Amino acid sequence: DIQMTQSSSSFSVSLGDRVTITCKASEDIYNRLAWYQQKPGNAPSLLISGASSLETGVPSRFSGSGSGKDYALSITSLQTEDVATYYCQQYWSTPRTFGGGTRLEIK
Amino acid sequence: QGQMQQSGAELVKPGASVKLSCKTSGFTFSSIYISWLKQKPGQSLEWIAWIYAGTGGSRYNQKFTGKAQLTVDTSSSTAYMQFSSLTIEDSAIYYCARDTSGYFAYWGQGTLVTVSA
């Protein structure tokens, strides 16, 4: 199974900050990488697929980048509604696997 | 806009089985893949399996082979997951999601399964 590692389990950030969340795969996943946002009590919501393709309706302050094994989700100018847990997920191979999640908190 | 509506919370005894449902709307049901995922409180997500609604063909995470069984009812556009021989470790929220080439753009609201004597 491909292991997905998110380097930080939590971040304490200020409103308006730029935030970058990283995700590393245990092998090349050829950009088959999705990012999800999950707020407490809700199902995850897809933000990005294909490493960098923003889903319709997702604010443009979100962006994805990376290749090979290393990927990142960036949020420019953090808003209150962005406080959530973010997960990366690879879909290059089965089983699909998720990172452990990165929780954003406001300072 | 597609939607996925899951069945309500379940309280089951250890050793029992449970069958969860996921009713879809707004999709051409026979053309979609549906995955099921598990999330324990405060933890990340695990992919259990997918099923292709058109044929009933499926693929399982080896970890859940023999534990989970997926089926569909095309007449009601509903997917089902039966989870057997439940233990306390199976207590979790279970989600169905539309599987689009491996990622998940549409999700059900989740079903909480609590295994307790």
Side-chain angles (χ1 to χ4, degrees):
Chain A
D1 298 3
I2 295 178
Q3 306 303 312
M4 304 299 293
T5 301
Q6 293 179 236
S7 57
S8 296
S9 60
S10 65
F11 264 118
S12 187
V13 296
S14 299
L15 295 177
D17 279 356
R18 178 185 176 93
V19 178
T20 299
I21 298 169
T22 60
C23 176
K24 187 176 185 71
S26 59
E27 60 185 83
D28 196 326
I29 57 170
Y30 302 94
N31 287 2
R32 304 303 201 274
L33 191 283
W35 287 99
Y36 301 87
Q37 177 192 68
Q38 187 176 33
K39 297 182 180 180
N42 290 346
S45 176
L46 179 66
L47 299 173
I48 286 169
S49 61
S52 61
S53 296
L54 202 65
E55 290 298 300
T56 302
V58 175
S60 59
R61 63 181 179 273
F62 289 90
S63 63
S65 62
S67 62
K69 299 180 186 180
D70 295 300
Y71 298 87
L73 172 70
S74 295
I75 312 170
T76 58
S77 190
L78 189 83
Q79 305 296 302
T80 304
E81 59 266 31
D82 302 334
V83 172
T85 300
Y86 294 84
Y87 295 97
C88 61
Q89 177 235 329
Q90 68 80 20
Y91 53 98
W92 170 245
S93 74
T94 299
R96 288 74 180 258
T97 49
F98 290 80
T102 298
R103 185 175 65 176
L104 296 186
E105 301 170 328
I106 299 295
K107 284 181 183 173
Chain B
Q1 188 77 332
Q3 293 190 337
M4 310 183 80
Q5 182 67 35
Q6 296 186 237
S7 49
E10 300 273 2
L11 174 61
V12 295
K13 296 189 184 304
S17 297
V18 68
K19 191 171 186 177
L20 311 182
S21 68
C22 172
K23 183 171 176 59
T24 73
S25 59
F27 302 124
T28 303
F29 186 72
S30 60
S31 300
I32 67 172
Y33 289 78
I34 296 170
S35 273
W36 290 83
L37 301 102
K38 175 183 179 181
Q39 187 173 38
K40 298 179 76 170
Q43 296 188 23
S44 184
L45 295 127
E46 286 186 281
W47 174 77
I48 297 170
W50 59 249
I51 187 165
Y52 180 55
T55 63
S58 58
R59 184 154 183 189
Y60 291 79
N61 184 337
Q62 189 173 5
K63 178 178 179 180
F64 294 96
T65 301
K67 168 71 81 172
Q69 183 174 9
L70 305 192
T71 55
V72 293
D73 177 358
T74 55
S75 68
S76 62
S77 300
T78 301
Y80 297 92
M81 180 176 72
Q82 179 150 336
F83 229 61
S84 60
S85 303
L86 290 163
T87 72
I88 291 178
E89 289 302 307
D90 297 320
S91 294
I93 296 174
Y94 292 87
Y95 294 101
C96 63
R98 179 179 173 179
D99 189 320
T100 306
S101 301
Y103 60 90
F104 312 110
Y106 296 90
W107 293 70
Q109 82 277 21
T111 296
L112 176 64
V113 174
T114 304
V115 182
S116 174

